[in-house]
């Protein structure tokens, strides 16, 4: 749901502080003042003050030159997991699916052109570290991501695919836009999405969309297995009906 807030009611300093926290990533785990200034569009003086404020509040640590996030930042994400309705609502369903199938179950939602896992089963037969709570994964090569892309019009879908980075994660990853558009058309026709070894080698995923009572997509319920355990055909044949049954319990 889009919140329409007037510009005059916004606290710009809070916006910038949150934006600076989000600059840190796998690619940039440690940042200097000049780097933060360049990446955020702030002056070096302003960037330094924001960094020092976050340092004072113990969200950052520094060696005098570089800054990096502290474990305190985990409180921000954990607060969502603990308090938000969706994670609390889906956890029992995710565990139920995992116990019935013996596979790994999860729920992901879309945030800024990425899929974010907000719930995952404790049971997992996988060695993968990719399906972790709070993990952000690409939309072009994940089942939940393709389900969301399938809700868009073709022009909107193509525009999203053009603006996102599409790396070849495995030898099977589809990155070509026309080929991706064909795959997304298949998802529209089927009503569910399958990913076979595109996101991670030997990983098989089937997912169904989660919708609110007006039919608006809000997330994806996924089941993940390994090629050594099953085939994509068997995964769908054996468990797709269960996923569809479970999603009825998650209508919001």
């Amino acid at each position: 749901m889009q919140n329409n807030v007037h510009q005059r009611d916004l606290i710009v300093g809070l916006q910038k502080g949150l934006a600076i926290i989000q600059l840190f990533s796998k690619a940039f785990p440690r940042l200097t003042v000049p780097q933060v200034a360049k990446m955020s569009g702030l002056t070096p003086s302003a960037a330094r003050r924001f960094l020092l404020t976050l340092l004072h509040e113990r969200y950052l640590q520094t060696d005098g030159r570089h800054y990096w996030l502290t474990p305190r930042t985990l409180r921000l994400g954990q607060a969502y997991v603990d308090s938000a309705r969706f994670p609390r609502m889906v956890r029992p369903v995710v565990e139920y699916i995992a116990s019935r199938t013996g596979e790994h179950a999860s729920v992901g939602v879309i945030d800024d052109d990425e899929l974010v896992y907000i719930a995952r089963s404790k049971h997992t037969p996988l060695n993968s570290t990719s399906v972790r709570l709070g993990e952000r994964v690409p939309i072009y090569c994940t089942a939940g991501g393709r389900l969301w892309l399938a809700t868009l019009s073709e022009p909107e879908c193509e525009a999203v695919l053009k603006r996102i980075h599409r790396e070849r994660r495995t030898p099977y990853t589809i990155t070509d836009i026309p080929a991706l558009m064909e795959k997304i058309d298949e998802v529209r026709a089927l009503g569910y999405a399958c990913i076979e070894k595109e996101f991670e080698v030997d990983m098989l995923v089937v997912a169904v969309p989660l919708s609110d009572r007006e039919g608006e997509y809000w997330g994806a319920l996924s089941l993940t297995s390994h090629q050594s355990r099953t085939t994509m055909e068997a995964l769908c044949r054996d468990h797709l009906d269960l996923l569809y049954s479970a999603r009825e319990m998650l209508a919001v």
Side-chain angles (χ1 to χ4, degrees), residues 141-163:
C141 61
T142 53
R146 286 190 186 169
L147 281 170
W148 176 69
L149 288 167
T151 67
L152 306 178
S153 67
E154 288 199 2
E156 289 175 321
C157 181
E158 187 171 3
V160 171
L161 292 175
K162 285 180 178 178
R163 74 171 177 247

Side-chain angles (χ1 to χ4, degrees), residues 20-21 23-25 27-52 54 60-69:
I20 286 175
I21 289 176
L23 294 178
F24 295 88
S25 64
F28 299 99
R30 296 188 174 212
L31 294 170
T32 62
V33 170
Q35 286 176 312
V36 170
K38 182 177 180 180
M39 294 167 70
S40 65
L42 297 170
T43 65
S45 175
R48 177 177 174 274
R49 291 176 61 197
F50 276 107
L51 289 170
L52 290 177
L54 291 168
L60 295 181
Q61 184 56 272
T62 184
D63 58 7
R65 172 173 163 76
H66 292 89
Y67 292 81
W68 58 91
L69 297 178

Side-chain angles (χ1 to χ4, degrees), residues 58-213:
R58 293 184 290 162
Y59 286 105
L60 295 181
Q61 184 56 272
T62 184
D63 58 7
R65 172 173 163 76
H66 292 89
Y67 292 81
W68 58 91
L69 297 178
T70 68
R72 176 174 282 253
T73 56
L74 291 173
R75 295 185 182 185
L76 302 175
Q78 192 61 44
Y80 170 74
V81 171
D82 290 342
S83 66
R85 178 187 178 194
F86 287 163
R88 287 185 287 113
M89 178 179 65
V90 302
R91 278 181 213 138
V93 177
V94 164
E95 294 297 349
Y96 170 73
I97 293 170
S99 67
R100 284 283 305 274
T101 64
E103 305 292 357
H104 179 82
S106 60
V107 168
V109 298
I110 299 297
D111 181 53
D112 288 343
D113 293 342
E114 292 179 303
L115 185 74
V116 183
Y117 292 109
I118 63 168
R120 53 160 289 173
S121 59
K122 294 178 182 177
H123 170 83
T124 176
L126 307 172
N127 292 322
S128 170
T129 59
S130 300
V131 191
R132 297 179 300 183
L133 194 64
E135 186 76 9
R136 306 180 72 89
V137 295
I139 54 174
Y140 67 96
C141 61
T142 53
R146 286 190 186 169
L147 281 170
W148 176 69
L149 288 167
T151 67
L152 306 178
S153 67
E154 288 199 2
E156 289 175 321
C157 181
E158 187 171 3
V160 171
L161 292 175
K162 285 180 178 178
R163 74 171 177 247
I164 63 174
H165 177 61
R166 306 180 308 280
E167 66 173 319
R168 195 170 175 81
R169 295 180 63 96
T170 79
Y172 307 95
T173 307
I174 299 172
T175 58
D176 180 66
I177 289 182
L180 281 169
M181 294 291 286
E182 286 185 17
K183 285 291 184 181
I184 294 163
D185 280 340
E186 290 178 13
V187 173
R188 289 192 185 98
L190 292 171
Y192 62 91
C194 298
I195 294 290
E196 188 167 3
K197 302 185 290 187
E198 288 191 58
F199 178 67
E200 192 168 330
V201 173
D202 297 331
M203 184 183 288
L204 309 177
V205 186
V206 58
V208 297
L210 299 174
S211 305
D212 61 23
R213 299 192 186 281

